[in-house]
Amino acid sequence: MIRTVILKVNCEKPEKPKIKAAADVIRKGGLVAFPTETVYGLGADALNAKAVKRIYEAKKRPLDNPIIVHVATKQEILQLTENIPLKANKLMSIFWPGPLTLVLKASDKVPKAITGGLDTVAVRMPRHNVALALIKESGVPIAAPSANLSGRPSPTTAEHVNQDLDGRIEMILDGGPTNIGVESTVLDVTVDPPIILRPGGTSYEELVKALGQVNIHPAALAEKSVRIAKVPSPGMKHRHYAPRAELVLIEGNIKPTAKKIQQIIDQNKKNGKKVGVLATDETKSMYTADTVKSLGSRADLSSAARSLFRLLREFDEEKVDIIVAEGVPLEGLGLAVMNRLRKASNYRIVKVD
Ligand code: AMP
Ligand code: MG
C-alpha cells in the first residue's frame, strides 16, 4: 500500500508549491491523478516505460489498451511523432487546448508500453490550468488514462478517484468536479478522411465543420459487442464504464421509451429488485422506481455528459440491482453519452417505437 496524498488545488490559479510537489512525483516515476476538462487523468512520465507500466498496474488495465499522451505545448509532440499531417495541424490550431485526441504515427522515442504495441501514438493538450501547469512543471509529456479502476465509470471528481485508487497511487490533485464529464474524442488522422475511434468532448458536428468529411468507426457506436481481434483502438473492445448494477438501455421515441421503462420497473419490483432509473428532466416525474436520477434536459446534452458517470456511481452507492436508462439523441455530446451507455449496458439494448 502507498499512502495517497490528496491536495486541493485552485483551478483558476494553481498554487505553485502544490504543482511542484506533484511534478516531483511525476519526475521520480510516480503516479499523480489530476483534473482535466474531461475527466480526471492518472498521470505518469510518458517517456519513462517503468512509470507507464505502473499506470497499468494501478488501474488493472489490459496491457493492449494504449494510453493518451498529454502535452502543454505543440512543440512537445514533435519528439513523439514521425509525421504531422496538414489536417492535424489545422485541428490543433482550432481545438487545442481541448477535448480532442489525435492519433499520429509514433516516433521511436515513445515507449511501446504506451502504444500497446501499435505504431501510432495518441496525443492531446488539455484545457485545464492544473493539467497544463503540471505538465509544464514536470518538463515531460504526461501519459494519462482516466483515473479509475479499469472497467469502472470514469472519475469526474477527486472523490471518485480516491474510491478506486486510494493506496495505489502517490497523489491526487483535487480541482473539484470536471466540466465536460466524458473523455476526449479520439480521432485517427493517419488516414484520410480522418476517423473517430471514440466519440467524446469534441462533437462530430464540430469536426465536420472544420474538415468537411469525417468518418465514425462502426465500433464507436456499436449496438453489439465488438468481437473482432484487430480493432484500430483496442479500448473499443474492452468492457467499460460499467456500474456494478446491471444496466438496460431503452432507445427510441420518448413516449414509448417511458412506457417500456415503467414496464421494466414493475416487472423487477415484483421480483423484489431495487430499481434505479436514469431519466431526463422531461421524464423524471413519470416513473415510480426506487430511485430516479436525471441526466438534465434533453435540450442540453452537454449536461447529460457532465452528470453521466457521477450518476452511475451514485446508483452503485445506493446498491440498486438494476438501472434502466433512457437513450438520448445521437447529436452533439449525445453521441459520446450513447457510446458510454451502450458499453455500460454490455449491449443490453431494447429498441422501442
Ligand atoms: P482512456 O485512457 O480511458 O482515456 O482511453 C484512451 C482511449 O484512447 C482508448 O480507447 C484507447 O484505445 C485510445 N487510444 C490511445 N492510444 C491510441 C492509439 N495509438 N491508437 C488508437 N487509439 C488509441
Ligand atoms: Mg478510461
Side-chain angles (χ1 to χ4, degrees):
M1 271 275 279
I2 306 168
R3 196 173 77 87
T4 303
V5 176
I6 304 176
L7 296 179
K8 274 206 188 309
V9 275
N10 181 332
C11 292
E12 298 300 315
K13 246 183 130 214
E15 299 87 340
K16 257 264 157 90
K18 294 181 183 174
I19 296 298
K20 276 211 155 91
D24 256 358
V25 174
I26 296 282
R27 276 191 302 261
K28 286 182 186 148
L31 304 181
V32 177
F34 60 95
T36 77
E37 79 280 37
T38 58
V39 301
Y40 274 72
L42 179 60
D45 176 352
L47 302 176
N48 177 344
K50 255 194 174 161
V52 171
K53 281 200 184 114
R54 279 203 51 213
I55 293 181
Y56 286 90
E57 284 163 17
K59 277 182 61 84
K60 303 185 183 165
R61 185 178 175 97
L63 289 173
D64 67 349
N65 195 0
I67 296 177
I68 296 167
V69 180
H70 294 68
V71 296
T73 62
K74 273 197 209 168
Q75 233 69 3
E76 278 172 277
I77 66 168
L78 298 177
Q79 58 179 330
L80 303 171
T81 61
E82 288 288 335
N83 169 40
I84 302 172
L86 273 178
K87 283 187 182 171
N89 259 315
K90 180 170 182 191
L91 292 168
M92 285 183 234
S93 56
I94 299 175
F95 294 101
W96 280 12
L100 178 66
T101 295
L102 299 175
V103 173
L104 299 160
K105 281 268 173 259
S107 76
D108 294 342
K109 250 190 124 177
V110 180
K112 283 281 171 243
I114 281 190
T115 64
L118 300 172
D119 59 1
T120 52
V121 63
V123 288
R124 92 168 184 106
M125 188 190 292
R127 186 164 63 219
H128 195 289
N129 291 337
V130 173
L132 292 171
L134 177 64
I135 301 165
K136 278 187 191 141
E137 187 64 34
S138 304
V140 289
I142 293 186
S146 50
N148 52 317
L149 282 175
S150 194
R152 299 268 302 134
S154 296
T156 57
T157 66
E159 176 54 32
H160 297 162
V161 178
N162 201 44
Q163 283 169 3
D164 281 15
L165 300 177
D166 183 34
R168 306 176 70 84
I169 62 177
E170 277 81 6
M171 190 177 281
I172 302 172
L173 293 178
D174 179 356
T178 60
N179 184 32
I180 294 176
V182 290
E183 301 87 338
S184 60
T185 298
V186 177
L187 184 72
D188 185 349
V189 284
T190 65
V191 290
D192 199 25
I195 182 165
I196 293 177
L197 301 179
R198 173 179 75 183
T202 301
S203 71
Y204 166 75
E205 292 87 342
E206 285 175 281
L207 291 172
V208 168
K209 208 165 143 197
L211 292 183
Q213 202 188 341
V214 174
N215 291 333
I216 304 179
H217 194 282
L221 276 176
E223 297 173 10
K224 279 195 218 120
S225 167
V226 183
R227 287 188 208 286
I228 9 170
K230 223 175 154 33
V231 284
S233 185
M236 287 173 164
K237 69 172 190 243
H238 295 295
R239 180 151 156 77
H240 250 115
Y241 315 119
R244 290 190 185 93
E246 165 187 9
L247 189 146
V248 188
L249 176 61
I250 316 300
E251 297 186 13
N253 288 328
I254 194 162
K255 268 200 175 154
T257 297
K259 194 168 157 212
K260 184 76 196 169
I261 289 181
Q262 190 58 46
Q263 277 171 8
I264 298 176
I265 298 169
D266 294 340
Q267 242 168 39
N268 279 276
K269 294 207 45 112
K270 238 190 251 160
N271 296 335
K273 296 267 167 82
K274 184 167 180 184
V275 188
V277 175
L278 192 57
T280 45
D281 286 354
E282 290 80 356
T283 57
K284 64 183 177 193
S285 61
M286 297 180 183
Y287 305 116
T288 58
D290 294 290
T291 164
V292 180
K293 298 179 188 295
S294 174
L295 285 165
S297 167
R298 288 178 165 264
D300 174 21
L301 294 174
S302 62
S303 73
R306 194 174 303 121
S307 53
L308 174 68
F309 289 135
R310 174 175 55 80
L311 297 180
L312 292 180
R313 280 180 185 257
E314 283 178 15
F315 281 124
D316 274 349
E317 275 164 30
E318 294 171 29
K319 299 203 165 47
V320 303
D321 300 302
I322 178 164
I323 301 166
V324 197
E326 274 175 22
V328 296
L330 297 167
E331 296 155 10
L333 292 196
L335 202 68
V337 171
M338 287 302 281
N339 164 274
R340 308 310 186 265
L341 278 175
R342 284 176 177 172
K343 285 189 171 205
S345 77
N346 211 8
Y347 308 101
R348 279 199 60 190
I349 301 169
V350 181
K351 299 249 185 197
V352 290
D353 258 326

